[in-house]
Amino acid sequence: MNIGIDLGGTKIQVGIEKDGKIIHKTKALLQEKDDLRSTLDQVIQFIKPLTIHKVDGIGIGVPSVVDVEKGIVYNVTNIPSWKKVALKDILEKEFNLPVFVNNDVNCFTIGEHKFGLGKNYSCMVGMSIGTGLGSGVIIWNKLYAGINCGAGEIGLLPYKDHNIEYYASGNFFNAFYQTTALDAFTSAKKGEKVALEQWKAFGQHFGAAVQAVMYTYDPQAIVIGGSVANAYPYFEASMRESFRDFIYPESIKKLKIHLTENEDIALLGAAALVDLSLEHANGVVQK
């Protein structure tokens, strides 16, 4: 059994992976994010009750660039006080357990590959659509994170007058319609025409993100998660319509696109970091 932690920009979730399921799960909003010591104390207090169980290690996913080998996180999204945090050393000293740290979307992707909808694919990409757009990459059954844990940042590629993330994440609705993705989703469910048109436009942009993934990694499958993925029925058609521009039509026909089905998949992936890291070079193909 391993402890998994999903640290987001606004909340923290922790639990223990046992036989491919999460038990003893707890979650809460992060407090005092401007104070490093306060947020670290909150993380530690959340983990502490789980260490009474016989666990082999701790895995944690963080929305940031990560030095995977040293377990240092840099400039964590929406947590201003986390500029450079030696998270691995801090938690290992606190709990006397091996600790492994990775990017949160990488953990989501590992979870899908090991426990979820990506189990049958040796090459797949996980895409998480929320306030931003993140991706994790599995190549021949191993996580590929690049030298600096920066591989898969499709959302940061140049696109139109900004980047892909600006158009293919929840930010799109704030930037162009002065609303939120949640409000647009609620309105679309009511059949409101304006919202349906907004999601149609979003789908065209998200289709460009999928094409970028295909040109870059050419996976067998993409698994989509994140809060904005709930609106998939309202942007799937326009997303697929955008694929008509894809230069390799046979490749796009073969591509499988799935929506995540397990709310605990990122926790499962974080917990799996322990086993993967101990098995093979921190579980990451770095070169």
Side-chain angles (χ1 to χ4, degrees):
M1 297 194 300
N2 301 312
I3 294 173
I5 306 161
D6 182 23
L7 182 66
T10 59
K11 65 182 184 301
I12 178 174
Q13 297 187 89
V14 301
I16 293 177
E17 182 271 318
K18 181 180 181 182
D19 300 326
K21 294 183 179 180
I22 292 295
I23 59 175
H24 306 302
K25 182 173 77 170
T26 56
K27 58 183 176 180
L29 295 176
L30 280 176
Q31 307 296 325
E32 301 181 50
K33 294 191 294 180
D34 290 325
D35 186 271
L36 174 60
R37 188 67 255 173
S38 293
T39 50
L40 282 173
D41 285 344
Q42 186 181 9
V43 171
I44 288 168
Q45 292 308 313
F46 256 67
I47 298 170
K48 191 169 291 184
L50 300 183
T51 59
I52 65 171
H53 303 280
K54 185 175 176 56
V55 297
D56 297 318
I58 299 170
I60 179 167
V62 183
S64 70
V65 171
V66 180
D67 181 326
V68 175
E69 183 177 349
K70 296 179 180 178
I72 300 172
V73 300
Y74 297 92
N75 301 310
V76 178
T77 303
N78 291 325
I79 308 180
S81 60
W82 287 41
K83 299 298 184 186
K84 179 182 178 181
V85 182
L87 195 56
K88 176 182 174 70
D89 287 348
I90 291 168
L91 296 182
E92 287 186 340
K93 183 177 179 181
E94 181 71 31
F95 297 111
N96 196 30
L97 286 167
V99 174
F100 303 94
V101 187
N102 215 302
N103 173 268
D104 59 340
V105 183
N106 284 345
C107 290
F108 163 76
T109 304
I110 291 169
E112 289 291 356
H113 184 249
K114 186 174 177 62
F115 301 103
L117 299 175
K119 285 191 294 186
N120 296 323
Y121 304 109
S122 57
C123 297
M124 60 155 289
V125 170
M127 300 182 75
S128 181
I129 325 170
T131 53
L133 176 65
S135 302
V137 183
I138 299 290
I139 297 177
W140 303 123
N141 296 311
K142 295 187 182 297
L143 177 70
Y144 179 74
I147 299 301
N148 303 298
C149 201
E153 293 293 350
I154 296 297
L156 301 183
L157 291 174
Y159 177 69
K160 294 187 179 292
D161 59 342
H162 214 284
N163 59 24
I164 291 176
E165 182 176 78
Y166 191 77
Y167 287 86
S169 69
N171 175 77
F172 174 71
F173 297 90
N174 298 314
F176 291 94
Y177 303 119
Q178 292 74 55
T179 188
T180 65
L182 178 58
D183 286 343
F185 178 45
T186 302
S187 297
K189 287 193 291 185
K190 296 176 182 177
E192 295 182 12
K193 185 176 180 180
V194 170
L196 293 173
E197 288 298 316
Q198 291 171 352
W199 282 110
K200 181 178 180 180
F202 175 85
Q204 292 168 347
H205 298 305
F206 187 71
V210 172
Q211 290 186 56
V213 167
M214 288 298 292
Y215 285 128
T216 307
Y217 301 110
D218 192 23
Q220 297 161 289
I222 293 173
V223 182
I224 302 173
S227 57
V228 177
N230 293 324
Y232 187 68
Y234 301 108
F235 67 83
E236 179 186 10
S238 58
M239 175 195 75
R240 293 189 181 279
E241 183 180 347
S242 75
F243 295 163
R244 291 186 300 179
D245 298 330
F246 195 72
I247 199 73
Y248 306 121
E250 291 305 313
S251 297
I252 208 76
K253 286 178 184 177
K254 294 177 183 177
L255 175 67
K256 305 296 182 184
I257 298 178
H258 303 285
L259 289 184
T260 187
E261 296 176 348
N262 188 336
E263 65 177 10
D264 293 330
I265 206 69
L267 278 177
L268 289 167
L273 289 176
V274 179
D275 293 333
L276 293 175
S277 298
L278 295 175
E279 284 171 10
H280 183 258
N282 289 333
V284 180
V285 179
Q286 293 190 338
K287 295 183 179 179

